[in-house]
Amino acid sequence: MTIPDLGFMMENGASCLPNTPEEEKRIVDELARKSEANVKEGNLFYAVSNGWYSSWKRYVEQGAGEHLYDEQDSVSHNLDIFSSKIIARPGPIDNSDIVVSESEGNDLQLHRTLLEDLDYVLVSQEVWEKLFDWYKGGPALPRKMISQGDLIKNLMVEVYPLCLKIIDSRDNSQTVIRLSKKASVQELYEKVCRIRGIEQQKARIWDYFNMEKNSLLVVSNQTLEQLNLQMDQEILLEVQTDANFSSQFSMDSTGNELALVPLEPSRSSITIAGGPSLSNGHSMDYKSFNLHQGSALSSSTSTDTDDKYYAYNPMKKVDRGGLAGLQNLGNTCFMNSSLQCLVHTPPLVEYFLQDYSDEINTDNPLGMRGELALAFGELLRKLWSSGRTTIAPRAFKGKLSRFAPQFSGYNQHDSQELLAFLLDGLHEDLNRVKNKPYIETKDSDGRPDDEVAIECWKNHRARNDSLIVDVCQGQYKSTLVCPVCSKVSITFDPFMYLSLPLPSTVTRPMTVTVLYGDGRGLPRPYTVTMIKDQCCKNLIEALATACCLRSDETLLLAEVYEHRIYRYLDNLSEPLSSIKNDDRIVAYRCALDPLKGQRKLFGTPLVAYLGEDQIRGVDVDRAVSRILSPLKRVVKLHSTKENGLVSEAIAEPSNNHFLRPTENIELGETSIGELSFQLFLADERGMTCKPIEKSSSLSSGKLVKIFVDWTDQENEVYDASYLMDLPEVYKNVFTAKKTRQEAISLFTCLEAFLKEEPLGPDDMWYCPKCKEHRQATKKLDLWMLPEVLVFHLKRFSYSRYSKNKLDTLVTFPIHNLNLSQYVKSKDGKAHLYELYAISNHYGGLGGGHYTAYAKLIDENRWYHFDDSHVSPVNETDIKTSAAYVLFYRRVKSGQNTGEAESSGTHMES
């Protein structure tokens, strides 16, 4: 099909571009590939409104295989007429919807709540320049690519530069400046002095976080990120006003002028994790630390309050300790929630309040030179020694950005993902194994489970031995069975937390057998989990992902009954509720027809009745002319006749628009030469189509589907607006209330986690007996449980097609969670647990808010930790649909806090 080129035309019809839509796409794709091959720090990228960019994408991708067969006609023995629509070229680039209106000059800022790929996209400098050359508009929003991380380098675009508020000590005036977090202190001085119109040698700038002098910023090449400066924080400018330079600047408590160096820590007996004291706050060697400037243990970069005291000698919890809040540093509630749960974990509190210096592993290549453990330990000590004083975890966030750049910046992140990183990072930093031995894994080979489990745990402990392993790691049994040869493989693996699915009445697993239409493979069943109220279109999308469907293939759903195709599920909007659990559904994997792959549908399908025994191409062309005749912009009647009067088709007011012959108006008929329209004959499901010629012979007595190639010529003759935007039967102007989801128990989630299920297509298992990758079935069983047991409730789901959060209420025991029946090892232990902390998530995807509930064991009382705000909460109020991560500790022998709750009783606490 030929699509008229609107890329050549302006609104006035003048030629302006040398490119068709396809050519524009080809040029941009090539520029994008070149830029991706040359990605490096310092490259410029440009933010573009996704609203405009999506319009451009639709324009350049028209005719590239988008299929919109969402409506199927239920009328048989009729003719369907469809059309293809031309997508107009978008106007100038418009970024106004993503830019803060108060932005001044060239310092344009994006709204803080934007999400990449949803609100904006990032394009390379080369792509931006080409788009701007073609479309103009704007404004331009350049952003620089920076390198994040210390041990692991990540390249990312700094969409939101660091925003700092300058407070001029002379008049307390405020000025906002923005610059990269990778900018040096030298660059900061230059920009501040240029804005304020002062000489650099007369200026001093202080880190004024929380409106307190924390440290003097020394002119150097250190970056603002290394100094832990935060988004929207204050910095204080002091300026010399007379010849006596010294007297104009702040003095310390002794009256001495403050030197041009960062504030030193107190000269009291300060120790590293309970080790030897630092001298004069400078770097020193301790065992194998080899401290360097900028590390967690170096005073030269200790620029905020978190770093003024590195660690203490063994200390005791102060009265009312553990009730300090954590300041939100800009979308860091996810971090605060996880930290509060960890710092209220009794074994961790006991450990980090003691001298743990001997256990810090600075040589582990998988660790962070001990810096993460030191930063966490220091923060825990502060939270347990500061009473109710709020702590700003700037130093800890700085370490997090260095070692886990995925958590850098000021976007919202997942508290569970951070928890997983912290537990693993603390383990490696505290790993007592300095040289990990190589151990070859052995297959179970029919040996007793006890023997294999002990062997696997021994091998694991030979390489991993830390507080985290002691307290937080358990072991589960994994059983894989080959679907072809029935080979059984059993392994015993460690775990640090259990990620539990949330089975609910609003979701359902569906198994569909996919068959190849070209004989490329064997039939294979795929199980996908669907939302209950979704439709066949969603099922096809999920199956396409599961079976790795190619872009040139499609899936055709059908129901098989008594070894026959009972029906085709070709109505993509048909609800999945029409498919019963005992139905047999297949999906035929077919290649797309090239002609169909170039079409887009628009308008309303039209129906005509043809009564001839033999239908020729010219008959179809005549019917199309008749049925479209009311839409003619200008009607011209011809008096010439051929073979007598020609019947005209006039639509009667009926649902099917049946056409009846009349003889009161004569219309021209194409009997010689080419057809009036370019027509295509499609099969019943629109899967294939072929051109219709004048002499083509079509079978009568059945439904015939015809595509009409709708070009500029048809647009000039016919007004297709009458076929657009059919009214809905009933449109509710009120927003429908969200259906309340049924509550499920923690035991139900655990049983869903432990049930047998086939591996996904991306997790194929190599069968040692078949010597091939197989989609084996997998069964998990709990074998050994740790002292601290963490449950992650999988509320968030992501796929190529959708993102979703489940707000299902999960009921969970608070006291005496009994898991004995789920543990397969025969150790005779009672596996009873008590809840002590919860990480909560409120709101939806891409945002929301995290808080934490934690229990002070000594007080036997629960508290709510909402960033800096801490308040008591009743135990009966901590069960909510916001519960995201649950923290349990083992009930010690002889301790009983209530009736045991198990899956058999599902009692509420």
Side-chain angles (χ1 to χ4, degrees), residues 28 56 59 222 279 357 455 466 500 512 515 517 535 553 573 628 644 647 655 769 792 829 838 847 853 896:
V28 169
W56 176 80
Y59 166 65
Q222 275 192 302
S279 58
S357 58
E455 177 185 274
S466 70
L500 308 185
V512 177
L515 302 97
C535 58
E553 293 179 312
S573 60
L628 292 177
S647 299
N655 289 337
K769 186 175 180 181
H792 163 223
K829 295 181 180 178
I838 307 173
Y853 291 128
N896 187 15

Side-chain angles (χ1 to χ4, degrees), residues 312 315-318 321-322 380-387:
Y312 302 84
M315 54 172 287
K316 295 182 179 180
K317 293 179 288 187
V318 300
L380 181 145
R381 287 167 177 254
K382 286 185 176 299
L383 288 171
W384 280 96
S385 63
S386 62

Side-chain angles (χ1 to χ4, degrees), residues 414-428:
D414 191 313
S415 70
Q416 187 274 332
E417 292 179 2
L418 174 64
L419 173 69
F421 168 79
L422 291 179
L423 289 176
D424 187 65
L426 290 174
H427 157 63
E428 297 295 355

Side-chain angles (χ1 to χ4, degrees), residues 260-278:
L260 284 171
V261 295
L263 293 179
E264 295 182 358
S266 168
R267 300 300 179 91
S268 61
S269 178
I270 304 170
T271 65
I272 303 174
S277 300
L278 284 173

